[in-house]
Amino acid sequence: MKPYKSKINKIRSFALALIFIGFVVMYGGIFFKNSPILVLIFMTLGVLCIIGSTVVYAWIGLLSTRAVQVECPNCHKHTKVLGRVDMCMYCNEPLTLDPTLEGKEFDQAYNHKTKKS
């Protein structure tokens, strides 16, 4: 199982990957320079990936402004917490704002709403 990262950092990494994917797709159009329609398709898909990255960056920026900023008990740096549980952006210390979850083992499932029967 891969280590868990901070939600904000995970979304920012996805947006950065979209930029690189967009550039690779646009450069892929070079292989089809004899067919202008395929070049146009590759360029359009690449630009759409970059526009999607811009939207994701704007969304996570807005989300980040509403996140609660706390001081990590381990490294004593300020980090932002999204949801009930999250990790410190710097030292990957599990953090929670819910007093009922203190002392419990870290689990991402605490962030999902469950149906109450």
Side-chain angles (χ1 to χ4, degrees):
M1 184 174 159
K2 68 180 190 175
Y4 185 75
K5 294 188 329 186
S6 167
K7 285 185 221 88
I8 292 176
N9 285 345
K10 198 182 292 187
I11 295 170
R12 286 178 182 158
S13 296
F14 171 71
L16 182 63
L18 271 178
I19 289 175
F20 288 117
I21 289 169
F23 282 129
V24 168
V25 168
M26 284 193 283
Y27 277 117
I30 292 174
F31 294 112
F32 303 103
K33 56 186 168 189
N34 293 333
S35 175
I37 293 179
L38 283 176
V39 171
L40 182 65
I41 290 171
F42 274 84
M43 291 296 174
T44 304
L45 288 175
V47 168
L48 286 176
C49 285
I50 292 174
I51 290 172
S53 171
T54 305
V55 170
V56 171
Y57 270 124
W59 173 68
I60 193 59
L62 290 173
L63 196 61
S64 179
T65 60
R66 292 185 296 179
V68 179
Q69 193 171 15
V70 297
E71 184 178 347
C72 176
N74 189 27
C75 66
H76 302 289
K77 293 182 181 179
H78 291 280
T79 187
K80 294 182 178 182
V81 176
L82 287 176
R84 292 175 69 194
V85 294
D86 203 356
M87 290 288 214
C88 175
M89 291 182 184
Y90 306 102
C91 67
N92 289 334
E93 175 78 17
L95 301 171
T96 183
L97 296 174
D98 191 352
T100 61
L101 296 177
E102 287 182 14
K104 292 185 179 179
E105 189 170 336
F106 181 81
D107 188 7
Q108 296 178 36
Y110 292 135
N111 287 326
H112 302 296
K113 294 181 180 179
T114 57
K115 291 184 190 176
K116 293 183 180 180
S117 304

